[in-house]
Structure formats: C-alpha cells, structure tokens
Amino acid sequence: MTYLTVSIFACEPGVFAEKVSEAKRLGAEAVEIRCDGLAKPDADAILQMIHSVQKCKLPVIVTCRDVSEGGVNPIDFSVRLSILKQAVEAKADYIDVEFAQFKHPDVHSVLKAALEGSETRLILSCHNFDGPFDDVNILYESVLALYPDAIPKIVYKARHINDCFAAFDLLREADRPLIAFCMGADGLISRVLAKKFGSVLSFASLDDDGQTAPGQVSVATMKQVYRWDGIGKDTEIFGVIGSPVAHSLSPAMFNQCFDSKKIDAVFLHFLVKGGKTEFDEFLGSVCERYKAGFGGFSVTMPHKTHALDYANRHGDYVDNLAEAIGSVNTIKIGFNGLISAYNTDYAGAMDALASVFDGDRHSLHEKKVAVLGAGGVSRAVVAGLVDVGARVRIYNRTLSKGESLAKEFRCKYAGIDELTEHTADVVVNCTSMGMHPDVESCPVPEGYLTESMTVFDTVYNPLETKLLKAAKAAGAMTVNGAEMFIRQAMAQYKIYIGEEPDEDLMRDVVYQQLNAKV
Ligand code: NAP
C-alpha cells in the first residue's frame, strides 16, 4: 500500500480539523501534521490535531521538520523531540525525524526508548533540496544500519527527469519498507510512480496552491488526471515526452480511455528538458529498465527528430512514414527493450481533412491545396497530401524553408505573402498563427477565403481560431485541429494497446478540456 498523503501545516486546531475533513473528502489516504507550521507549537494543540486525523480514520504522520531540511519555523530541538514523544504516546502511526538529527546519540536514545513497545513507526528522513544524493544506496544502508526498524525516506530534487531513475531503482531493489521520490517539476513522474514501485508514502497537496514541498500536485490531479487509484505494481507506464509538456491533453485523454476499458496502465507528462543528449539518456534509461513496465511514449516538440535518430541507431523498427516525414511521434517499447517508432501525425491530419470528404483521403487527389507553414506539422501534412496526388503549394514566411520542404516532396512553394496570387480548393494552416495566446492572428488576408474552399486549421487551442471563424463566415467547410489531435492519438492508442480506442470518449475529453480553457 502506498498512502497518498496530504501534508498539512499545523494551525488553529479547528481550522486544521476542517482541512483534514477536506483532505479525506478529496481522497487523501493519510495526513502528515507539519508541526513546524507553528512558530511555537503547543502540546495541547498538537494533540487535538492528531485526534482530528484519527477521528477521520486516516493514518497520521507527525513531523516537526528542521529548517535545514525544509522546516518553516526554527524550533528548538528539545521542543521537537517532546512533540515526537507525545505523538508516540498518542498512538500516531508514524513519526518523522531527520536522519542527520537522529544520528546524535542523545536523540537516538530518547526516541528509541519512546518507541519501545509502541506500534508507531519511525521514518528517518534524508532531504536534498539542491539535487540528487551522491549515492542513494549508501544512504539507504546507513539509515537501516543505525535503526533497522526505521522506514528510510530518501527525497531529493530532480534537476532533470533523468535523476528520477535512481529513486526508481532504489525502490525496486529495496527489501524493506521505504519512501523515495524526487521533488521539483522534473520529479513529477516519481511522485505518481512511487505507488507502482512500492514507496510507503507519496505526497500531494490539498489544492493547487497548498504545496508543502516543491513539485507537489493536488490530490485531485493525482486521482483524476493520473489515475492514482488504478496504479499497482504491474501497471504499464505510458506518457508524452516533450518540453514544455504540462499543457498536453494526452494524459487526461489516455487515462480516461484506460479507465473505461479497465486497462492496467497509466499515462503521464514526461518533461524531458534539453536536446538530443538528454533525450538519448532518458530513452536509454527507460529501455535499460524495460522490465519495470515502460510501454511507450507519445513524442512532441522538441524531440520528434531526436526520437527518429534514436530509433535509427537503437530501434527494432522504424516505419516508412516516420522515415519519410523525418520525425517520430510514437514509440512502443518492445518486450526485449528495443523500440519501434511511428508517425501518426500523417494519419491524424489526413483523416481529419478527409472527414469532410466522406472519410475518403483520395477525394483530395488533384485538389489544389495551399499548405501554410513549413515546420514539423507541415512535413506530415505535405507527405500525406502528396501521397494521395493533391497539387500542393507550400507558403512559408521563411522562403528558404518552404523551398527545401517543397523540393523534398516535389511540390511548389511561395512566400506566405503571395497566397492571393494562386487559387486553392483546400487551405491548411500549419503555422502557429492563431494559437493561444496569439488568438487575434490569422494566416490569410481578409477576403481571401471563399465558399467553395475547405479550410483546415491544425491549431487546436482555441478550438475555433480566427481563421476558422473567417472561413465559416465565408461559407467554407471547416476542420479544426482537435480532429487531427484526436485521430493521431487514436492511431497511437492502437499501437500501444493493440485495440481500437473509444473515439467518442477521446473526443469528449479533448473538447471538454479545450472548452474549459476558453
Ligand atoms: P514549427 O515546426 O515550429 O513550425 C512553425 C511554422 O509556423 C513555421 O513554418 C513558421 O514559419 C510558421 N510561423 C510561426 N509564426 C509565424 C508568423 N508569425 N507568421 C508566419 N508564419 C509563422 O511548429 P509545428 O510543430 O509545425 O507546429 C505548428 C502548429 O501546428 C502548432 O502551433 C500547433 O498549434 C499545431 N499542431 C497541431 C497538432 C494537432 O494534432 N492538431 C499537432 C502538433 C502541432 P518560419 O519557417 O518562417 O519560422
């Protein structure tokens, strides 16, 4: 059992009790009382707080953190020690003290005597707020050597997601109860996967503003976005790799699909900062640990070309489309730890566009298509359109980029300001113009769009861009970017799980999230 623990700073006992009830209502599975929240903790008040957690039938952890390890008020150690002794007498489930303090023989002997014959367990904490420890294994062994009944708590700041693997390895190899995870935005996955890998506790905040340590997310996010309740030791791990990545709708969408089909899997945001080197290190670390249950990844900016490069060097299989487009947006980890790499942007874009032609991609044959932009998405769109024999002209702000993409796919090109000089049946926006927060931008001049055109905007935030509003006003047929996003995700789901996804559910989640952003 891994308790999803809400840490609450000690305060006026009545207010504290309300917070505990709220934590319980939200689904917290344990409560930590941070006695250092009070400048002068008083014994009576602390006792009332312990009782209010016990009344809610939640395990209680009593901590009076030292300022050197994140405590908020400097409290004399003798006071802290008496709070912990009192917590043992009050039958708290756990008391938590810093390993560094516990090493002092006086502290050691006082707490050891207090714990004698009690059911309270001692957590010995080691925190590093600056970065990883030199060697977590040595730390783990040293804690147990000093007090074999202790639960070591080894928590450090991840400077990069790659720092999380040491915590995972420690948890996987430990033969005793242990708490281990990483702090900071780069450590997010370790807070969620702590449950899969068997940490005794993981921490979440009461709400989005109530963090008691860097990188905590709310109980609601843990439960509703990251499927906390569905995670177990055999849960398969999926996610979206990108930087930035927190805005991605994929975790909410995939997790709801896993939930509805009772699939033992979780889908997370994997913030992989940096470039090719950091990406290689991340994917190499995952593949080395494939037996831990890593299933696959969606890949977004800036790592799509890094993923293709990795797959070409270390992969089992790279599909032809990914090779032709020059980027990979889907990785499946094989049973042997080798990866297969795909690009589903092509299918997503083509199926979205074809939806206005009764789902037949070949209706685009011979159609004159103006593709605006020459970046990553344009590559997938142009590859798809050229494949079905559409007459493509690429319009890009930087002419040289449009020219090189056009040469690669044997189509025409022009500057984006030359758009009105040629006619088109279909217009596809693959620039970022119109995307939040640039919502007032439109990639086509006023009066350009006509009733006979089909207009597809790959931008999906907002759902209805300025371009799509203008297209509707002109009487043109329209396709929004969410339809591409949903279809590329449907193709990914099939690669990951080997089954068709619930398209309606995916659409509901995406539209709900995007409408909520408006
Ligand atoms: P990218 O590689 O950075 O390319 C961006 C393109 O937009 C470039 O051609 C760039 O022109 C052009 N551009 C940017 N700002 C411009 C401006 N102010 N005026 C004219 N042109 C401008 O980005 P990407 O990965 O292709 O993504 C493009 C858009 O696709 C994103 O913004 C996103 O909304 C959308 N997208 C949708 C999905 C989906 O599933 N629906 C998936 C991924 C992305 P230069 O070459 O001159 O810089």
Side-chain angles (χ1 to χ4, degrees):
M1 168 89 188
T2 300
Y3 294 110
L4 183 60
T5 307
V6 168
S7 186
I8 305 176
F9 283 120
C11 53
E12 192 281 312
V15 175
F16 186 87
E18 279 169 26
K19 291 188 180 185
V20 173
S21 303
E22 177 65 356
K24 168 109 178 170
R25 190 188 65 75
L26 290 167
E29 295 157 354
V31 167
E32 178 188 48
I33 306 174
R34 280 286 299 272
C35 302
D36 53 294
L38 294 171
K40 288 196 174 107
D42 102 76
D44 236 28
I46 301 286
L47 206 55
Q48 285 182 54
M49 288 182 243
I50 293 173
H51 289 155
S52 64
V53 182
Q54 289 169 333
K55 241 164 81 184
C56 281
K57 299 202 178 341
L58 290 173
V60 55
I61 301 133
V62 177
T63 305
C64 196
R65 185 68 68 229
D66 187 42
V67 277
S68 68
E69 295 200 28
V72 287
N73 283 300
I75 297 164
D76 192 75
F77 194 73
S78 60
V79 176
R80 293 172 51 215
L81 210 50
S82 69
I83 288 172
L84 296 176
K85 276 167 56 190
Q86 181 193 16
V88 177
E89 283 159 22
K91 298 189 179 349
D93 299 85
Y94 303 90
I95 56 166
D96 176 328
V97 67
E98 301 74 30
F99 175 52
Q101 307 266 358
F102 189 75
K103 281 185 202 163
H104 295 294
D106 292 352
V107 178
H108 188 157
S109 55
V110 170
L111 284 181
K112 211 175 151 193
L115 287 161
E116 198 82 41
S118 100
E119 288 188 11
T120 303
R121 296 289 306 269
L122 175 67
I123 297 170
L124 288 179
S125 279
C126 311
H127 295 94
N128 187 348
F129 286 87
D130 297 326
F133 289 107
D134 289 341
D135 191 326
V136 286
N137 293 301
I138 291 181
L139 207 49
Y140 171 75
E141 296 297 344
S142 326
V143 171
L144 291 176
L146 189 59
Y147 194 76
D149 283 341
I151 299 175
K153 179 183 176 198
I154 297 176
V155 176
Y156 56 89
K157 181 180 174 178
R159 294 190 186 131
H160 191 274
I161 196 166
N162 290 329
D163 293 334
C164 294
F165 292 104
F168 296 158
D169 292 346
L170 185 66
L171 283 168
R172 288 175 66 216
E173 284 156 24
D175 53 3
R176 308 287 293 274
L178 162 71
I179 300 162
F181 58 85
C182 299
M183 294 182 283
D186 302 85
L188 169 70
I189 60 160
S190 72
R191 291 184 180 273
V192 184
L193 295 177
K195 187 168 182 192
K196 175 181 164 72
F197 294 128
S199 176
V200 175
L201 309 176
S202 185
F203 289 85
S205 55
L206 202 51
D207 51 42
D208 289 332
D209 304 319
Q211 289 91 348
T212 53
Q216 269 178 21
V217 294
S218 67
V219 178
T221 301
M222 284 288 219
K223 294 237 167 188
Q224 286 153 29
V225 181
Y226 297 132
R227 289 200 85 194
W228 175 267
D229 293 337
I231 298 175
K233 69 177 178 24
D234 297 323
T235 300
E236 204 173 1
I237 306 161
F238 294 92
V240 51
I241 300 173
S243 179
V245 75
H247 64 282
S248 173
L249 304 176
S250 296
M253 182 177 61
F254 279 98
N255 283 330
Q256 291 220 27
C257 290
F258 294 156
D259 241 4
S260 81
K261 297 220 171 170
K262 304 213 175 335
I263 291 171
D264 191 5
V266 64
F267 198 101
L268 305 175
H269 291 100
F270 284 81
L271 172 66
V272 179
K273 290 188 309 205
K276 183 171 141 33
T277 311
E278 291 79 3
F279 177 86
D280 278 5
E281 192 188 330
F282 171 78
L283 205 52
S285 300
V286 163
C287 291
E288 257 175 53
R289 295 165 179 80
Y290 71 97
K291 286 188 181 155
F294 289 98
F297 297 98
S298 305
V299 185
T300 185
M301 298 304 287
H303 295 305
K304 289 185 177 187
T305 51
H306 306 146
L308 175 63
D309 181 66
Y310 185 97
N312 277 326
R313 282 180 291 119
H314 305 294
D316 228 2
Y317 170 78
V318 182
D319 85 338
N320 291 338
L321 267 176
E323 202 71 77
I325 296 164
S327 71
V328 159
N329 80 332
T330 310
I331 288 171
K332 170 96 174 120
I333 317 279
F335 294 118
N336 49 6
L338 293 175
I339 66 164
S340 308
Y342 308 83
N343 189 305
T344 67
D345 284 336
Y346 169 108
M350 291 305 289
D351 289 345
L353 191 50
S355 65
V356 292
F357 300 104
D358 292 330
D360 180 10
R361 291 184 190 176
H362 293 280
S363 304
L364 289 154
H365 184 71
E366 287 293 321
K367 289 260 189 307
K368 283 194 227 162
V369 186
V371 175
L372 317 183
V377 168
S378 302
R379 292 187 70 82
V381 167
V382 169
L385 289 167
V386 168
D387 245 11
V388 296
R391 291 156 64 191
V392 177
R393 191 184 298 265
I394 298 164
Y395 297 88
N396 198 44
R397 178 178 61 180
T398 310
L399 198 60
S400 57
K401 285 198 204 161
E403 180 182 8
S404 91
L405 185 60
K407 282 196 171 139
E408 210 177 310
F409 288 96
R410 296 167 189 263
C411 53
K412 296 181 177 157
Y413 69 95
I416 199 157
D417 47 353
E418 295 170 69
L419 189 61
T420 50
E421 289 174 24
H422 310 276
T423 58
D425 305 310
V426 178
V427 178
V428 186
N429 176 38
C430 301
T431 74
S432 45
M433 292 179 79
M435 183 171 80
H436 182 80
D438 185 27
V439 292
E440 286 309 318
S441 283
C442 182
V444 306
E446 230 178 288
Y448 169 72
L449 300 171
T450 65
E451 194 183 357
S452 63
M453 288 177 174
T454 296
V455 179
F456 171 26
D457 198 340
T458 65
V459 171
Y460 59 79
N461 183 15
L463 265 172
E464 191 168 74
T465 57
K466 193 162 183 188
L467 171 67
L468 290 184
K469 280 186 190 141
K472 279 184 184 163
M477 296 225 272
T478 59
V479 183
N480 68 32
E483 290 303 316
M484 169 178 167
F485 178 73
I486 292 159
R487 287 172 167 84
Q488 62 81 30
M490 286 168 62
Q492 290 182 322
Y493 186 96
K494 212 170 159 192
I495 292 168
Y496 298 145
I497 308 298
E499 288 171 18
E500 294 293 341
D502 181 339
E503 178 175 350
D504 293 340
L505 178 60
M506 280 192 161
R507 182 163 285 107
D508 281 354
V509 177
V510 169
Y511 277 72
Q512 203 180 46
Q513 301 260 329
L514 288 171
N515 282 322
K517 280 183 199 268
V518 176

